[in-house]
Amino acid sequence: MARVTAGVGCSHVPAIGAAMDTGITQEPYWKPIFEGFKKSREWMKDQKPDVIFLVYNDHCTAFDASCIPTFALGCAAEFKPADEGWGPRPVPVVKNHQKLASHIAQSLILDEFDLTIMNEMEVDHGLTVPLSVMYGDVGQDEDWPALVIPLCVNVVQYPPPTGNRCYNLGKAVRRAIDTFDEDLNVMIFGTGGMSHQLQYKRAGLINKEWDTKFLDLMTKDPVAASQITHLEYLRETGSEGIEMVMWLIMRGALDEDVTEIYRHYHVPASNTAVGHIILENKV
Amino acid sequence: MADKEYDDIPGTFVFDADRSREGYNLNQFCISLRLQVNRDAFNADENAYLDAYPMTAEQREAVVKRDWNLLLELGGNIYYTAKFAANEGINFQNLAGKMTGMGVEAYREMMLNGGRPIDGNRTKSEWKED
Ligand SMILES: [Fe+2]
């Protein structure tokens, strides 16, 4: 049977991808950010996931303002890196585990999560940057070491789904994966955040204390994290910090009791606090 | 319209359904610049290109003037306006330098020093704004 072994929380700042793509990761500004992913890359090599269920948001790339699905599951065979306005990232095309994706789609809808199903989709930095930081440089002509099932969450137009809804969706994703009849090591990534505001006069807001508390809750008290209100995210973590609801989908798919393997936090990457956590299910 | 609970956060537009409605054509223009073929067309003849997007006169003027804050005030969303900014050679961080009125250098310096602190930046009353 397929089994969920671990979850990864991770920021997906576009400038981090750009730093890798332009080979400046050893510059003093970027070095501490990438040092913090060294251990994670080794861990990925040890764990060798077959499939990554990757929760992220599209940043007005695949979806324009004409269609804004709250939850959209990628069911296509593959997903090309998109041109977001500065040319596509030079990273591999993302390949899906299509059978598992369609099993999850069916299972979630019967579990009363009314998904949008995407049979054509390009993916933006929200999806490719977490793969890059966790795997390191992978050439455009190579393959990502794992198959990837993308789940897009609307966090651009207010309101995003509540933290509670996301947490429960994570539980439903887990139920779906647990009933898939193929021996697969599945990891789940929740991406975005941490505190940041990209817009208007309060841009640059960072709340390290709040972020640290959130990371603590991810490990020890996900139910409390699931009850954080939208107003609290907006006020305390910046208008774009609300992306962190996506981490709750990841957390919901894990056991209640997890082992925190690793954590990394750094300010700044461009406008953003970079946060990262690795949680393993106990066997 | 009833007050919204997030209206007292200073220096922030929450891109809700009302803003999305007001900014629709403006945002659709911005996202069109995601693609090189459209960037080329816009850069070749800005006026003709803008005619295809039925935005308000005010929104169109904000586009022409590259008034990044006014674009947000008129229903633009940062992920959309950032695609317009990218066409002007402005990345997210430098765009923030402009929107905050701090300038690129001072903004970058603030971020290197840990960012804008949360204390004093939670409510409009702390900013003496209403
Ligand atoms: Fe994001």
Side-chain angles (χ1 to χ4, degrees), chain B residues 20-49:
Chain B
S20 176
R21 187 184 67 246
E22 288 165 11
Y24 183 72
N25 290 301
L26 168 61
N27 288 321
Q28 290 298 77
F29 151 70
C30 289
I31 196 175
S32 74
L33 299 182
R34 182 167 87 72
L35 300 175
Q36 188 64 49
V37 45
N38 295 337
R39 294 196 285 273
D40 291 343
F42 175 73
N43 295 335
D45 188 346
E46 192 165 319
N47 268 312
Y49 191 89

Side-chain angles (χ1 to χ4, degrees), chain A residues 11-14 56-59 124-126 155-156 191-193 196 198 240 243 246, chain B residues 79:
Chain A
S11 301
H12 58 216
V13 186
Y56 76 109
N57 69 290
D58 179 83
H59 303 79
D124 73 8
H125 69 267
V155 296
V156 172
T191 72
H196 68 303
L198 300 176
E240 280 66 55
E243 287 186 335
M246 294 184 288
Chain B
Y79 290 113

Side-chain angles (χ1 to χ4, degrees), chain A residues 35-53:
Chain A
E35 286 291 315
F37 285 100
K38 261 188 172 165
K39 188 171 167 181
S40 315
R41 290 176 185 181
E42 280 160 27
W43 177 81
M44 286 297 280
K45 273 188 195 139
D46 294 341
Q47 301 294 314
K48 294 188 193 58
D50 301 301
V51 182
I52 296 170
F53 186 90

Side-chain angles (χ1 to χ4, degrees), chain A residues 58-80:
Chain A
D58 179 83
H59 303 79
C60 310
T61 305
F63 302 103
D64 65 18
S66 68
C67 177
I68 304 169
T70 295
F71 296 115
L73 187 72
C75 291
E78 56 178 48
F79 310 94
K80 288 201 179 70

Side-chain angles (χ1 to χ4, degrees), chain A residues 202 235, chain B residues 8-10 120-128:
Chain A
R202 202 174 69 139
R235 196 190 300 284
Chain B
D8 78 324
I9 302 174
N121 291 309
R122 287 186 173 91
T123 63
K124 282 186 176 166
S125 61
E126 291 177 302
W127 278 29
K128 306 193 171 44

Side-chain angles (χ1 to χ4, degrees), chain A residues 59-61 64-66 83 85 157-158 197-204 206 235-236 240 268 270-271, chain B residues 6 8 10-13 15 20 24 28 31 34 39 73 79-80 83 93 99 107 111 116 118 121-122:
Chain A
H59 303 79
C60 310
T61 305
D64 65 18
S66 68
D83 184 351
Q157 178 169 322
Y158 187 89
Q197 175 153 339
L198 300 176
Q199 51 128 351
Y200 207 44
K201 296 178 186 168
R202 202 174 69 139
I206 298 287
R235 196 190 300 284
E236 296 292 326
E240 280 66 55
S270 183
N271 304 290
Chain B
Y6 40 78
D8 78 324
T12 303
F13 293 113
F15 186 67
S20 176
Y24 183 72
Q28 290 298 77
I31 196 175
R34 182 167 87 72
R39 294 196 285 273
E73 282 165 35
Y79 290 113
Y80 293 92
K83 291 186 167 59
Q93 179 161 307
M99 289 182 293
Y107 181 83
M111 294 316 297
R116 184 183 306 283
I118 184 66
N121 291 309
R122 287 186 173 91

